Amino acid sequence: MEELSIADHRLKTALDNRDRDLEAQMAKFDNKQNSLKERLDEINKKKLDTTEANLDVMGDDLVEINAGGKIIAAKRSTLTQLKGTRFEALFSGRWDKVLQRDSNGRIFLDVNPKCFQAIVDYLNEMTISSEENPPNPPSV
């Protein structure tokens, strides 16, 4: 009977230790989560501040791009319609002051002009297509 009591005590001690370890891990995760939330808030604030610094940027702005020597013009709203993409970030207006420009002041991108034109054409088609009948992805 004493052996059973000792085994029960060991089991309860092990369970208590496991619960303490679990609570400590949960506290670490909570702290890390709070830290990440704070960092995300800082990033979003910087993003907003940068965007507000470019208040003259409008969705109807015509953006002229020198894509590998080919001049392509498109509405900013067309280029930024897919949220969370590099296109949205690049043409949102946040980076207008630091993007490389050609001698005529157009945004210069060292890219394949045919591929870039295919992407812009696809984005234009997305603008005029319905959700039920989206355009085919671009191909070159």
Side-chain angles (χ1 to χ4, degrees):
M1 191 66 154
E2 189 174 327
E3 289 178 19
L4 187 57
S5 177
I6 292 170
D8 185 51
H9 178 69
R10 286 183 184 160
L11 186 58
K12 286 181 181 179
T13 301
L15 186 58
D16 288 343
N17 289 339
R18 186 193 59 114
D19 286 346
R20 261 193 319 272
D21 290 345
L22 183 59
E23 285 178 24
Q25 286 293 338
M26 291 298 290
K28 284 182 185 178
F29 287 137
D30 287 342
N31 288 338
K32 185 66 173 175
Q33 182 179 22
N34 289 336
S35 174
L36 290 172
K37 283 181 181 178
E38 288 173 8
R39 179 72 177 125
L40 180 61
D41 289 343
E42 288 174 19
I43 290 170
N44 284 333
K45 184 182 181 326
K46 286 181 183 178
K47 187 176 171 182
L48 182 63
D49 290 346
T50 305
T51 302
E52 287 176 353
N54 293 307
L55 290 177
D56 55 337
V57 171
M58 304 289 282
D60 289 340
D61 288 352
L62 193 61
V63 179
E64 288 190 336
I65 304 158
N66 179 341
K70 180 175 182 178
I71 307 307
I72 299 170
K75 283 185 176 181
R76 188 177 303 275
S77 59
T78 299
L79 297 171
T80 60
Q81 66 183 303
L82 297 176
K83 301 304 177 203
T85 63
R86 290 183 185 212
F87 259 61
E88 191 258 343
L90 185 64
F91 298 112
S92 67
R94 286 187 297 239
W95 305 106
D96 277 4
K97 294 179 181 171
V98 295
L99 288 172
Q100 187 175 2
R101 303 280 175 163
D102 68 8
S103 60
N104 293 316
R106 298 180 193 104
I107 296 171
F108 177 77
L109 301 175
D110 189 13
V111 297
N112 181 310
K114 288 182 183 179
C115 293
F116 192 84
Q117 183 67 62
I119 293 169
V120 172
D121 290 345
Y122 172 73
L123 292 172
N124 275 322
E125 289 178 30
M126 281 187 65
T127 302
I128 60 174
S129 298
S130 66
E131 288 184 21
E132 299 82 34
N133 191 15
N136 293 325
S139 63
V140 180

